[in-house]
Amino acid sequence: MVPERLPRETPAVPESMPVLLDRALGAYLGLAIGDALGATVEFMTAREIRHRFGVHREIVGGGWLKLDRGQVTDDTTMSLALGEALRDAPADGVDVRRIAESFLAWYRGKPVDCGNTCRRGIRRYLNDGSLEGPANDGDAGNGALMRMLPAVLATLHDEAAFERLAIAQARITHHHPLSDAAVLGIGRLARTTLLGGGPVEQSAAIEALVRAAPAFRFDPYPGRATAYVVDTVQTVLHCFTQHTTFEEAVVAAVNQGDDADTTGAIVGLLAGARCGARALPRRWLAGLDREVRRVITDQTTALLARSLGHATLAA
Ligand code: MG
Ligand code: MG
């Protein structure tokens, strides 16, 4: 299918862009689009959304955070904080402290939203410098999962480096086996898709994810979309596998309500990697906050360039 031409005012996606950059930008912009779209209906039930919108499918802002149209929330801005820490890290190692410092700077910037587990982890780092808390039953939220895309991009050609980095960034705030399994499983699915894997490779990555943590089994779909990482992953995989277009996959996720910005963001990430930036709905791209779009474009290029080096974690 020939992608629709983008209007002149969306220079983020030039026609000549190489395919890997197109997919990576599709993933990062898709994350922000899903976040901005879903935030309007975060914490609503599917029934409340139906009653108010019919089907919610336009970026209009509002919601419990009273957002401007096109504004994103912590899902995108924590990703940007992680990306900022990684983009200029030396090729021979990523200092986890640098990531924690970037999360702390994000937190001090008074973000529009900050989940409780993220806040607790960042404050723990502030208080005692620890880069990882003890394993905690309360850490099975989706906060480490929602922000992990820059770790995938920065280590795209080195799976072992991806695993170390993805878990290290996660444990700053979340230390739970289901959070770890989600970060690795969804991260590997994103990697596979970005590197050109089609439906067969994507299915294999999803099967491996469910084998590693059977709690994530999503067929039949239980229909819950809360911030509990199991509910989030089930909703994401259900929507990603049931819908082939970016728009329908993201619309299906956010209309489940509940943690709609986060399920929307993660489905947007995966579906954006699958279709590429050139195939993103142009009304959604145009509706996204301009500065967010600029920083995402800038970071994506820098992180992909970095991934050509050998990303390892400093001891
Ligand atoms: Mg959010
Ligand atoms: Mg959320």
Side-chain angles (χ1 to χ4, degrees):
M1 194 178 75
V2 179
E4 213 176 346
R5 282 185 72 85
L6 289 158
R8 282 230 170 104
E9 64 272 20
T10 51
V13 198
E15 293 282 339
S16 59
M17 192 164 47
V19 66
L20 176 58
L21 181 56
D22 183 46
R23 288 200 198 101
L25 203 47
Y28 217 151
L29 290 168
L31 167 86
I33 286 171
D35 182 8
L37 183 74
T40 303
V41 294
E42 188 180 21
F43 300 135
M44 290 173 73
T45 65
R47 197 174 159 173
E48 285 167 345
I49 296 169
R50 262 197 311 278
H51 183 70
R52 174 133 173 236
F53 295 97
V55 177
H56 172 57
R57 60 191 323 140
E58 301 305 327
I59 294 178
V60 292
W64 74 282
L65 293 169
K66 299 186 172 35
L67 300 170
D68 294 334
R69 178 175 177 268
Q71 192 178 352
V72 294
T73 74
D74 50 347
D75 308 74
T76 306
T77 57
M78 279 204 97
S79 299
L80 292 172
L82 176 60
E84 207 48 44
L86 298 180
R87 59 171 295 165
D88 298 321
D92 61 345
V94 174
D95 185 350
V96 185
R97 193 163 303 279
R98 189 185 177 107
I99 301 172
E101 280 295 323
S102 193
F103 289 164
L104 178 58
W106 168 82
Y107 178 69
R108 284 181 162 149
K110 302 203 184 334
V112 65
D113 189 19
C114 177
N116 290 333
T117 312
C118 287
R119 180 183 296 107
R120 193 181 59 215
I122 293 168
R123 293 198 65 84
R124 181 177 53 229
Y125 170 70
L126 179 62
N127 290 333
D128 65 14
S130 61
L131 298 169
E132 176 177 322
N136 185 338
D137 284 348
D139 284 6
N142 57 23
L145 173 64
M146 72 183 187
R147 63 175 187 240
M148 58 82 202
L149 177 62
V152 176
L153 297 179
T155 59
L156 203 53
H157 306 286
D158 184 340
E159 179 151 18
F162 156 70
E163 289 171 5
R164 289 194 300 275
L165 180 56
I167 293 298
Q169 73 80 22
R171 295 273 182 89
I172 295 171
T173 56
H174 292 65
H175 190 166
H176 191 285
L178 288 171
S179 170
D180 288 355
V183 165
L184 290 176
I186 297 290
R188 288 185 187 120
L189 175 57
R191 258 184 115 244
T192 298
T193 308
L194 288 165
L195 290 170
V200 172
E201 291 82 4
Q202 288 160 6
S203 292
I206 292 169
E207 278 167 26
L209 181 164
V210 171
R211 233 182 359 259
F216 293 135
R217 202 180 301 280
F218 60 99
D219 184 17
Y221 174 53
R224 289 182 295 271
T226 75
Y228 175 44
V229 73
V230 171
D231 293 349
T232 304
V233 169
Q234 287 172 335
T235 297
V236 165
L237 293 178
H238 173 72
C239 296
F240 179 68
T241 55
Q242 290 297 304
H243 301 278
T244 50
T245 72
F246 178 89
E247 177 157 347
E248 290 314 316
V250 173
V251 164
V254 302
N255 280 275
Q256 287 291 329
D258 224 318
D259 200 5
D261 59 328
T262 305
T263 57
I266 302 169
V267 170
L269 180 172
L270 293 172
R274 183 168 61 185
C275 73
R278 277 187 291 252
L280 295 174
R282 64 180 182 185
R283 75 182 195 287
W284 284 350
L285 254 188
L288 202 57
D289 181 280
R290 269 174 176 264
E291 180 61 10
V292 166
R293 216 170 64 187
R294 187 193 66 75
V295 178
I296 283 176
T297 306
D298 185 50
Q299 266 194 17
T300 303
T301 314
L303 291 169
L304 283 186
R306 191 187 181 286
S307 76
L308 295 170
H310 291 286
T312 54
L313 282 174

